[in-house]
Amino acid sequence: MKVIAVLRKSNSLVYIRVMFGRDKDVKVSTSMHIDPIYWDSKIPGYKNTKKVPKEVREKFNNTLKEMIAYVEANVDKDVTCPVLTAIIDDFLHPDRKSKENAKANDTTPWGSGFFDRAEQYLTEYKTKNASGIRAVFRRLERLEAWKREMEGDTDFRYEVSTFGAEQLEEYMKYVTEEYDLYVKHPDFFAKFGLYHSTMRPSSKNSSFSGGLRLKAFLNWCVKKGYSDDVSFRQVQTHGHVYGDAYYLTIEERNQVYQCQYGRSYHASLVRDMFVFQCLVGCRMGDLFNLTRNNIIDGWLEYIPGKNLNNGNTELVRVPLSDTAKEILARYSQVSPRLFPAICEAQYNMYIKFVLDFAGIHRMVTVLNPLTRQPEQKMLCDVATSHTARKTFIGNLYAKVKDQALVSSLTGHSPLSRAFQRYRTIDDSMKRELIGMLEE
């Protein structure tokens, strides 16, 4: 018997292959991805390259090495694809099997505690934004612990039946204050796995979003009969504030595309990725996942990941311009994805450099999410991957003034309220309207 790791270049997936001479050969996916240009079958895993951080290479290679050893220790000659898949899944998710066994043996009803009901809500209601509401519950756990340990109320516990307007308002206030508390008491928050690299100030928009999600949970508790306190419904949770959309003009976008960055491989790559995004309007997450298989007869076809998570499987089709095709042609032999691998943080960091180098220094008004006050910034300093999406939407809308038409190219619903944040009524559109009065 021999166990090896092989790479399928068509989808960048690593497979585990178990061979029993000429008699039997079983191969299944590990769900681990790697760009083919960095693959070394002799290791197996990442080859030694400075283009991929050392810690990333070592973690991937060690995981694959340990996986091969685990498979060797747990397979026999009767192994089948489903069995091998289960073995790999047990290796990658060792806690899942123990949890499943515990769940199968657990015949007790849900507990009546606040966080017991929270788990019941997530299990029964199957909310589409589970990660968002989980973040709310984790923050509530921290607030509960804060009141017990730091404020001295040692017996404090949240209860569903007594969670009303006062508790909801206290939570929403805590959202905006938690970072300041962390700065003063980092040891307390370290117990929850929160450190400087993961803590950021939260805006009032975050407070309102958390309040909305918590309201949904509390309404569910009332409907289930776990509480009759509906005072929380009086709390205002619709105070979101957003600044006007800012984006590159077509001339500025072309200025970026025509700029040359010498021998900087990453700057040239990010320039191409950013301009391509400006031409198709996809989100960064989709851009990173798209492959050559998404290009069909000169059209980009995909289901936006955010829509898919919300149960919307409608296909988005965007015709590729000549410039978009020109950009893709540069990387056709490099990766099965549209572009070579780059991490999201690096991509956003280089976007600012690329725009700065290209001279995109126009001043724009941005809304400080913490103070909610307008500030003047250079466009290159505030640009991110999402600026490319806004550039696509804003310039198209200025041309056609048809939300339904533009939405069909972005994945928004035709009447999406979120769409309003991506476009702005610019001066040229106002001139056209006034001009109509002269006709």
Side-chain angles (χ1 to χ4, degrees), residues 92-203:
L92 292 174
H93 310 285
D95 297 333
R96 183 179 296 172
K97 189 171 184 179
S98 59
K99 287 182 179 179
E100 289 176 351
N101 291 337
K103 187 175 181 180
N105 296 327
D106 184 14
T107 58
T108 60
W110 291 98
S112 59
F114 186 92
F115 296 105
D116 294 320
R117 295 303 186 198
E119 283 299 320
Q120 182 183 354
Y121 171 71
L122 289 166
T123 301
E124 293 184 2
Y125 189 64
K126 300 186 185 301
T127 176
K128 294 174 181 177
N129 192 8
S131 60
I133 187 63
R134 282 192 184 279
V136 170
F137 291 142
R138 286 196 297 270
R139 187 168 251 153
L140 268 174
E141 287 177 335
R142 297 197 293 270
L143 177 54
E144 183 185 74
W146 176 272
K147 294 176 75 66
R148 287 201 306 267
E149 299 177 29
M150 306 301 287
E151 294 183 2
D153 191 353
T154 55
D155 296 325
F156 180 82
R157 292 287 186 280
Y158 280 119
E159 298 292 343
V160 170
S161 60
T162 58
F163 201 105
E166 180 182 347
Q167 288 71 28
L168 179 56
E169 289 175 342
E170 182 180 51
Y171 165 79
M172 292 174 64
K173 182 182 178 183
Y174 175 76
V175 170
T176 60
E177 296 177 346
E178 187 177 46
Y179 181 78
D180 292 331
L181 297 176
Y182 162 78
V183 172
K184 297 176 182 177
H185 306 278
D187 291 342
F188 171 81
F189 290 93
K191 294 185 293 185
F192 298 92
L194 298 178
Y195 305 97
H196 182 70
S197 60
T198 55
M199 284 294 289
R200 295 288 184 274
S202 294
S203 66

Side-chain angles (χ1 to χ4, degrees), residues 5 25 50 59 85 88 101 126 130 139 165-166 177 181 202 249 317 347 355 381 391 414:
D25 191 335
K50 293 182 179 180
K59 182 179 180 180
T85 298
I88 292 174
N101 291 337
K126 300 186 185 301
R139 187 168 251 153
E166 180 182 347
E177 296 177 346
L181 297 176
S202 294
T249 64
R317 299 181 72 245
Y347 180 46
L355 268 61
D381 290 337
T391 296

Side-chain angles (χ1 to χ4, degrees), residues 11 23 48 108 175 184 241 369 396 412 416:
N11 57 11
D23 299 330
N48 189 12
T108 60
V175 170
K184 297 176 182 177
V241 175
L396 271 185
H412 288 103
S416 169

Side-chain angles (χ1 to χ4, degrees), residues 79-93:
V79 67
T80 60
C81 285
V83 171
L84 182 56
T85 298
I87 291 173
I88 292 174
D89 191 60
D90 287 345
F91 171 80
L92 292 174
H93 310 285

Side-chain angles (χ1 to χ4, degrees), residues 221-340:
C221 290
V222 171
K223 290 179 181 178
K224 296 284 285 188
Y226 302 142
S227 173
D228 55 9
D229 186 346
V230 295
S231 62
F232 64 87
R233 294 175 180 171
Q234 303 168 7
V235 179
Q236 171 61 260
T237 54
H238 290 85
H240 294 75
V241 175
Y242 301 96
D244 290 336
Y246 53 84
Y247 54 86
L248 279 69
T249 64
I250 292 176
E251 292 73 22
E252 288 171 331
R253 183 202 67 199
N254 293 341
Q255 184 177 330
V256 172
Y257 185 54
Q258 292 161 7
C259 189
Q260 300 298 316
Y261 299 92
R263 296 187 179 185
S264 175
Y265 170 79
H266 281 101
S268 298
L269 170 63
V270 169
R271 173 203 61 195
D272 288 346
M273 293 175 68
F274 182 80
V275 172
F276 181 82
Q277 234 186 317
C278 290
L279 294 170
V280 299
C282 64
R283 297 180 179 87
M284 177 174 64
D286 293 317
L287 178 70
F288 281 32
N289 290 324
L290 293 171
T291 70
R292 300 279 156 173
N293 294 331
N294 292 103
I295 308 298
I296 302 174
D297 295 330
W299 290 69
L300 174 65
E301 298 186 0
Y302 70 105
I303 301 175
K306 186 175 182 179
N307 293 8
L308 195 59
N309 290 338
N310 292 329
N312 181 359
T313 58
E314 184 176 350
L315 188 70
V316 171
R317 299 181 72 245
V318 183
L320 296 180
S321 66
D322 291 339
T323 301
K325 293 176 182 177
E326 180 180 271
I327 291 172
L328 291 182
R330 293 197 188 107
Y331 305 96
S332 60
Q333 303 300 319
V334 178
S335 171
R337 290 194 294 270
L338 296 188
F339 296 97

